[in-house]
Amino acid sequence: MPEGDSVHRLAARLRATDGALVVRGELRGGPSAGTSVAGRRITGHATHGKHLLTRLDDGTTLHTHMRMTGSWTVTGPGRRIPTTVARDARVRMALDDGRTVWGIALPVVDLVPTRDEHRVVGHLGPDLLDDDFDRAEAVRRMTADPDAPVRRVLLDQRLVAGLGNLWANELGYVRGLHPDRPIGTVDVPTLLDTAQRMLRHSATVPDAYQVTTERLRRGEQHWVVGRAGRPCLRCGSRVRARDDVEVPGSPARRVWWCPRCQPAADPKAAGWAAAARSPAG
């Protein structure tokens, strides 16, 4: 699933279309399916967590979310995407310079007044990639239930926006946190600082996209993700994994951790409480 850094990179790429006039195009999905977007000019792209906001000059915003299936592509003048792919297009915008913007298999497509963007992203927590990231508000939301497992807290977009399953696992490893550790025993401000650094590095540095180990060799780009049964790159212990369903009725998501680098412990143990006050968190 695309995460905050994925959508941040996508928005940076799509900004090459800012200022272009849509001469032909329509929405083919969501509550606004069938709506023509011809005659509107693209004025900018913004993100909040995993949500993309494409702003138009008539005071409307195209709100989309890729989830597990969606993607975007821009074709040059005289070029098209394959017919089989075009059938899954949920957004098509032919621009005045000959390029065409395609939103493929997008599960969320909605056209809203720009002044009402809060209707589609206002329920989300502070965005880790926002220049004005509200750290205090994120801490307040994340610590509201001190018994909640740290992994579940990191994945809840209503608390802090932008982290998906890959980052929840990798961040837990980097901070030495077992996925079941209660958030009330964690140094949350330091955890957020680390999350910001990792996510922004992935979103902005060439060749660093979702590489957490600084190793580009295949199979060594992540500390724990995808490494079940393989030796930890630091201590050599076998990485463990399980499938968790955080929300009843939702698909299971894979959890990875190193039992030595991220030790489990009694949540009431004094050591966890002390660790929550230490920089290592």
Side-chain angles (χ1 to χ4, degrees):
M1 176 184 288
E3 309 201 17
D5 52 336
S6 315
V7 182
H8 194 276
R9 280 181 174 251
L10 170 64
R13 181 163 58 88
L14 291 178
R15 287 189 186 107
T17 67
D18 288 359
L21 178 69
V22 182
V23 293
R24 294 181 308 280
E26 66 287 320
L27 307 183
R28 302 176 180 179
S32 301
T35 300
S36 172
V37 289
R40 312 185 200 207
R41 192 176 296 276
I42 300 171
T43 60
H45 290 82
T47 65
H48 192 110
K50 305 174 187 181
H51 297 249
L52 177 68
L53 302 169
T54 303
R55 293 169 179 153
L56 306 169
D57 70 348
D58 65 342
T60 60
T61 294
L62 175 60
H63 163 240
T64 56
H65 194 303
M66 292 186 287
R67 291 188 180 163
M68 296 294 289
T69 60
S71 64
W72 288 84
T73 190
V74 180
T75 53
R79 306 199 57 155
R80 288 182 56 86
I81 57 177
T83 302
T84 53
V85 178
R87 292 194 189 108
D88 289 329
R90 299 295 178 262
V91 176
R92 181 184 71 100
M93 295 187 291
L95 309 180
D96 56 351
D97 60 8
R99 293 177 296 170
T100 302
V101 181
W102 305 86
I104 310 298
L106 299 171
V108 176
V109 179
D110 196 11
L111 194 65
V112 300
T114 300
R115 66 177 180 274
D116 293 337
E117 286 180 358
H118 64 277
R119 283 171 33 201
V120 292
V121 297
H123 64 290
L124 301 171
D127 183 356
L128 284 160
L129 287 172
D130 193 329
D131 290 337
D132 297 320
F133 175 65
D134 192 338
R135 186 170 177 260
E137 175 61 13
V139 171
R140 185 191 70 79
R141 293 186 183 211
M142 292 173 67
T143 56
D145 179 3
D147 294 327
V150 61
R151 168 185 160 78
R152 192 174 75 200
V153 169
L154 292 173
L155 288 172
D156 192 336
Q157 302 300 297
R158 298 168 301 176
L159 307 181
V160 63
L163 298 171
N165 199 44
L166 181 144
W167 285 111
N169 282 285
E170 292 294 287
L171 183 59
Y173 177 86
V174 169
R175 296 304 309 168
L177 304 174
H178 189 278
D180 297 330
R181 179 166 167 170
I183 194 68
T185 68
V186 174
D187 180 353
V188 175
T190 300
L191 177 65
L192 286 171
D193 289 346
T194 303
Q196 275 191 291
R197 287 196 302 271
M198 293 176 70
L199 209 62
R200 187 163 294 281
H201 185 75
S202 175
T204 60
V205 176
D207 298 325
Y209 175 61
Q210 295 188 347
V211 175
T212 57
T213 61
E214 298 186 357
R215 306 180 190 185
L216 298 181
R217 184 182 304 168
R218 186 174 180 180
E220 296 184 5
Q221 296 175 328
H222 303 135
W223 291 111
V224 288
V225 169
R227 294 185 56 81
R230 301 179 65 187
C232 172
L233 293 172
R234 281 182 178 162
C235 74
S237 300
R238 295 290 175 183
V239 173
R240 296 182 183 175
R242 70 176 191 236
D243 291 326
D244 271 5
V245 177
E246 287 89 11
V247 180
S250 66
R253 286 190 279 193
R254 197 73 163 158
V255 187
W256 294 270
W257 75 98
C258 170
R260 183 172 181 182
C261 297
Q262 300 166 260
D266 180 354
K268 297 180 182 179
W272 273 17
R277 297 189 295 270
S278 72

